[in-house]
Amino acid sequence: MIYINEWLPNPVGKDTAGEFVEIFNGGKETVNLAGWYLKTKATTKTKFVLSGEIQGGGFAVLKKPELKIALGNTDGELFLYDADGKQIDRQQFFGSAPEGKSFSRMASGQFVFSEPTPGEQNKFSEQMALIGNVYPTGVPLNKPLGVFDFVLLTLGVAAVLTGLIIFVLKKNENLSKLFFGGDETSWQ
């Protein structure tokens, strides 16, 4: 099984000098990568065509400037396709990639930003998984509020304030009589 194992979208310094993508062969057989390709967006025509072979249990590290696609530092996506054009793997993160951290696959299949390990097994401290630095695929990290989110937030705050006002009016006897009746005497 061939998949994206690690990628560094936001290296320290110039992106063009330090970006890399690491592909891993999780199978036992050598796989010919001729015709396989990487894309940063599913809809773009720009792609980086792979070549060579990857041994079973081996890594293929594609570095700049050889890597002819630019990895996004914000809301990054990476797609891997086989020679028949079938999508084999897709990984993405939402928000901004921390500088100098690679987006790396854990044994569970989830990704985490960690220290780069190109051409080697990914390394994680036990503390990383415990502090919530794990990024499941497709879950926004720091998505900005949209119009719909803002409307829902406004309606929620309005409902809470309305309930609080009604509670205070009902609890205060004089205000309750004034706003909800109970005292039929007319003002003169």
Side-chain angles (χ1 to χ4, degrees), residues 7 19 21 38-44 46-48 67-72 75-81 91:
W7 46 303
E19 289 183 350
V21 174
L38 291 166
K39 292 171 70 172
T40 56
K41 298 209 180 299
T43 57
T44 186
T46 304
K47 60 186 175 183
F48 174 70
L67 187 62
K68 302 289 186 204
I69 53 175
L71 305 175
D75 298 337
E77 289 183 293
L78 191 59
F79 299 84
L80 175 64
Y81 296 88
Q91 297 304 324

Side-chain angles (χ1 to χ4, degrees), residues 40-144:
T40 56
K41 298 209 180 299
T43 57
T44 186
K45 292 182 187 217
T46 304
K47 60 186 175 183
F48 174 70
V49 180
L50 306 175
S51 61
E53 294 182 337
I54 184 169
Q55 302 290 325
F59 301 93
V61 180
L62 312 161
K63 297 181 178 181
K64 285 285 190 173
E66 171 190 309
L67 187 62
K68 302 289 186 204
I69 53 175
L71 305 175
N73 293 353
T74 304
D75 298 337
E77 289 183 293
L78 191 59
F79 299 84
L80 175 64
Y81 296 88
D82 67 12
D84 296 327
K86 178 182 174 195
Q87 182 179 310
I88 300 301
D89 195 8
R90 172 186 182 232
Q91 297 304 324
Q92 75 180 100
F93 64 88
F94 294 95
S96 297
E99 188 174 65
K101 301 289 184 183
S102 64
F103 201 50
S104 305
R105 182 184 298 270
M106 295 176 28
S108 65
Q110 292 180 310
F111 274 70
V112 62
F113 282 106
S114 67
E115 293 303 317
T117 57
E120 300 175 12
Q121 184 176 356
N122 297 338
K123 297 175 185 156
F124 310 99
S125 68
E126 289 180 30
Q127 187 179 20
M128 281 179 137
L130 296 176
I131 61 171
N133 193 20
V134 176
Y135 300 91
T137 301
V139 177
L141 301 181
N142 53 356
K143 184 184 118 191

Side-chain angles (χ1 to χ4, degrees), residues 142-154:
N142 53 356
K143 184 184 118 191
L145 289 178
V147 174
F148 183 71
D149 298 320
F150 182 73
V151 169
L152 284 178
L153 181 63
T154 303

Side-chain angles (χ1 to χ4, degrees), residues 170-184:
K170 285 287 201 179
K171 284 296 186 182
N172 186 301
E173 185 179 333
N174 291 332
L175 290 175
S176 182
K177 286 180 182 177
L178 178 63
F179 285 98
F180 302 108
D183 187 1
E184 299 297 325

